[in-house]
Amino acid sequence: ERELGEDERAFALDVAAKASEAAPRSVDHLETLAAWLEFAGRKPDAIAAVERAQAIEPMRASVRLRLQRLRH
């Protein structure tokens, strides 16, 4: 298994950000964006993305769990 290179990671984060911008109420897109932001070391931005997802769909378990993990 090969790790993603820096350019590939940057591309993935850019795609996730654009997808989230195109569909700002998509919790799936926000969760994906949060994952890539976290992977990029941008934890405060990842938390903000998950908080937006939680505002849209507060009962989704994956959102609650990711937010809990990111805050601790």
Side-chain angles (χ1 to χ4, degrees), residues 1-66:
E1 191 173 309
R2 178 179 80 80
E3 283 192 32
L4 294 177
E6 186 176 332
D7 289 343
E8 293 166 312
R9 290 191 307 267
F11 177 74
L13 177 54
D14 186 53
V15 169
K18 287 179 179 173
S20 185
E21 290 170 13
R25 295 199 49 82
S26 170
V27 173
D28 292 329
H29 289 342
L30 286 166
E31 285 192 280
T32 300
L33 176 59
W36 282 106
L37 287 165
E38 181 182 9
F39 190 67
R42 295 173 52 187
K43 190 174 179 179
D45 294 327
I47 291 170
V50 178
E51 286 174 340
R52 287 196 311 271
Q54 187 176 46
I56 296 165
E57 200 170 321
M59 298 308 292
R60 187 183 282 202
S62 60
V63 171
R64 289 194 325 265
L65 291 172
R66 183 180 298 272

